[in-house]
Amino acid sequence: MSSSEVENLIIIGGGPAGYTAALYAARAELDPLVFEGFQWGGQLQNTTEVENYPGFPEGIMGPEMMTRFREQAERFGTRFVSDDVDRVELSDGGIQKVYLGDEEHRAKAVILAMGAEPKRLGIPGEMELMGRGVSTCGVCDGAFFKDRSTMVIGGGDSAMEDAVFISKFASDLDLVHRRNEFRASKIMQERAESLPNIELKTPYVPEEFVAGEDGSLATVKLRCVDTDQVEDVPVDGAFIAIGHIPLSDIVKGQVDTDDEGYVITDPASTKTNLAGVFAVGDLVDHTYRQAITAAGSGCKGALDAEWYLRDADL
Ligand code: NDP
């Protein structure tokens, strides 16, 4: 099945990057079509208070912010499809094809804004106990562990943020990291360290999540990196916060990606190695990964696409 119309621009992704690209493209009268995903809103959909997005001095809840981003893009005529793209056929300067099942959508340009998802540890019990004591989203699941023992694994800002949030509910929290030095920013680390029910446990790595008789998480086997000794730590909830992987599977092999799977763009723009294909947001960003940087990158993507559509002989 194929829609006969060739769109100017298809945007794949419904986070800050995709919606900002849509806003700029819609105001440029490109009439963009956004495949925002079934769970539109991206990672901010799983966030509570956002305090560092300029223009919101009192802070704003993540899902509300994404609703506003979406509404602003819609105000200028953006069309949305709340479904996940199954595959794409990208072309170097030709017609770009995007598929939902066998439903084909064609466009002169495409902006890739699929974002990233949480990394996993790859240890026994992790997937089996996901949702039964093991979680990758502290702000989503932290409140389930009121007056319970918890653990956060990771040493970056995400781990600190999760620990501070979960400690509001939990009786106690072990912050487990594989090195003695933390990657997190000083302010976030200090905030976590200052809380009386958070204990830093370094250098330790989890080896296994073990279920209790009721089938949910009861123990984490932790190995001390210095001594190699393994200890059983009883916990009710364990939160994995060890970074993210870019959601580039549908474009891998078609557009250039790096060793970690991030889409490679021209350093000064959002252009990929294929003419008419642009990439923005966490899909290309190893480093900053903020709503504001993703939004800024989405804006650049829309402008790059607009200039491409103006100048290319399509
Ligand atoms: P990071 O990549 O910064 O940190 C990941 C952490 O997990 C590292 O400490 C790493 O250890 C550890 N880790 C990775 N793999 C494993 C593994 N297999 N086993 C055990 N530990 C592992 O990711 P974050 O998600 O924390 O942050 C990403 C970016 O987002 C950063 O730029 C951060 O500043 C930003 N951010 C900002 C926030 C804010 O300002 N409010 C909130 C959250 C994130 P090691 O250090 O040894 O490599």
Side-chain angles (χ1 to χ4, degrees), residues 75-300:
R75 176 179 159 201
F76 299 101
T78 301
R79 292 160 298 142
F80 299 97
V81 177
S82 306
D83 216 336
D84 297 318
V85 167
D86 291 302
R87 66 187 179 90
V88 296
E89 276 177 28
L90 300 179
S91 131
D92 190 10
I95 295 297
Q96 314 297 340
K97 295 176 184 169
V98 173
Y99 294 88
L100 287 179
D102 60 2
E103 187 183 302
E104 182 186 275
H105 297 263
R106 294 178 293 160
K108 295 174 196 163
V110 65
I111 296 178
L112 307 173
M114 291 89 77
E117 72 172 6
K119 262 190 199 164
R120 317 263 185 226
L121 289 160
I123 60 171
E126 182 178 24
M127 296 317 289
E128 296 85 336
L129 295 176
M130 196 62 72
R132 284 188 292 150
V134 178
S135 168
T136 53
C137 181
V139 291
C140 316
D141 301 330
F144 297 132
F145 295 90
K146 194 160 170 42
D147 299 326
R148 314 288 286 274
S149 290
T150 55
M151 178 181 285
V152 169
I153 298 135
D157 282 336
S158 298
M160 300 303 147
E161 196 169 71
D162 276 5
V164 169
F165 180 75
I166 297 159
S167 71
K168 290 180 189 159
F169 308 97
S171 54
D172 55 280
L173 186 148
D174 282 332
L175 183 46
V176 174
H177 180 40
R178 62 186 176 183
R179 294 186 296 134
N180 290 323
E181 301 75 36
F182 286 90
R183 187 181 293 271
S185 57
K186 203 100 200 104
I187 185 169
M188 303 278 283
Q189 188 183 332
E190 283 171 1
R191 212 177 275 179
E193 276 174 331
S194 72
L195 292 167
N197 60 343
I198 295 183
E199 193 178 322
L200 306 192
K201 217 166 157 51
T202 67
Y204 280 88
V205 286
E207 300 260 279
E208 186 176 354
F209 295 112
V210 184
E213 276 179 11
D214 66 354
S216 56
L217 178 69
T219 312
V220 180
K221 285 191 182 299
L222 282 188
R223 179 172 57 82
C224 175
V225 175
D226 287 342
T227 65
D228 247 5
Q229 280 197 327
V230 177
E231 62 183 86
D232 286 340
V233 180
V235 286
D236 303 300
F239 294 83
I240 302 161
I242 58 169
H244 291 82
I245 37 175
L247 294 172
S248 56
D249 279 357
I250 58 166
V251 297
K252 255 185 213 156
Q254 298 193 49
V255 73
D256 284 350
T257 51
D258 68 15
D259 292 347
E260 292 176 69
Y262 288 88
V263 173
I264 298 172
T265 52
D266 178 294
S269 78
T270 64
K271 292 177 191 166
T272 67
N273 62 312
L274 301 177
V277 178
F278 306 89
V280 299
D282 285 5
L283 186 68
V284 301
D285 182 3
H286 299 72
T287 316
Y288 302 105
R289 317 173 51 80
Q290 301 300 295
I292 184 72
T293 52
S297 150
C299 160
K300 288 190 201 171

